[in-house]
Amino acid sequence: MDLLKERICRDGIVKDDHVLRVDSFLNHQVDVTLLSEIGKELRRRFDGEGINKILTIEASGIGIACIVAQSFDDCPVVFAKKNKTANIDDSFYSTRIESFTHGRVYDVMLSKEYLNPEDRVLIVDDFLANGCALMGLTEIIEEAGATFVGAGIVIEKGFQPGGDNLRAKGYRVESLAIIDKMDPVNGITFRE
Ligand code: 5GP
């Protein structure tokens, strides 16, 4: 998606070889027009798949998922919550996710009320790095007996193993910009 790649080159900040900051348009201040284009592109890629629910994880996935949902017939968005307390009762699905950016492990939880066997689910997230967030969400979908149609990712860091691992498992992962390498001096190289 050229519009997105241009924006990453213009406004993204390569902190080091592994962390890209996109605070000015995605993770802090949000460009809603860009998100709307992202939604249209994901709809084009997943058209005809009967997606009726979008799943993401708090916090940065929520805003993106809500705008993307407008391109999927305003389907509901449900987000997994990061839980700080250990007492999760059996009205929740839960799984453990290691956060790439914060370097700690979260229990994430999602009410059983909001994910059902008739759901055909698109996972939406801002970044794909090691794939822990995405793997955790697929586990929750499986536990619910719902169908995981695929993942729509804004930025995949292709030099980290998440995308390759998930595709090797047979999952459909559509990333709108894939970065093959980056560093603060030479900038960003995208996959063609
Ligand atoms: P993963 O679970 O794939 O290792 O990491 C995915 C999550 O970590 C994303 O939801 C995103 O919030 C965060 N993340 C991973 N890499 C980056 C990065 O380079 N920049 C930012 N801003 N967030 C990242």
Side-chain angles (χ1 to χ4, degrees), residues 18-114:
H18 283 82
V19 176
L20 175 68
R21 301 281 302 263
V22 286
D23 284 2
S24 66
F25 61 96
L26 197 65
N27 282 154
H28 195 20
Q29 174 170 262
V30 177
D31 182 338
V32 176
T33 308
L34 177 66
L35 290 191
S36 189
E37 293 304 316
I38 285 169
K40 286 181 204 154
E41 177 61 17
L42 288 176
R43 176 63 194 240
R44 195 183 64 74
R45 295 190 190 199
F46 286 98
D47 206 22
E49 293 285 1
I51 287 161
N52 62 356
K53 193 156 284 185
I54 293 181
L55 173 65
T56 189
I57 183 165
E58 69 176 2
S60 51
I62 300 174
I64 302 167
C66 288
I67 301 291
V68 169
Q70 294 180 324
S71 292
F72 285 85
D73 310 310
D74 292 324
C75 73
V77 172
V78 62
F79 59 91
K81 295 187 174 207
K82 290 174 182 158
N83 193 31
K84 284 158 202 98
T85 59
N87 51 352
I88 299 168
D89 66 45
D90 64 2
S91 60
F92 290 92
Y93 302 115
S94 75
T95 188
R96 304 211 119 182
I97 290 178
E98 191 179 330
S99 161
F100 173 78
T101 33
H102 300 113
R104 54 181 275 205
V105 175
Y106 291 94
D107 285 313
V108 302
M109 47 180 259
L110 193 138
S111 170
K112 289 186 177 170
E113 223 179 309
Y114 304 126

Side-chain angles (χ1 to χ4, degrees), residues 168-184:
K169 285 178 184 284
Y171 293 136
R172 181 168 176 200
V173 179
E174 296 281 348
S175 299
L176 302 184
I178 303 181
I179 295 173
D180 267 339
K181 60 179 179 188
M182 63 182 197
D183 70 71

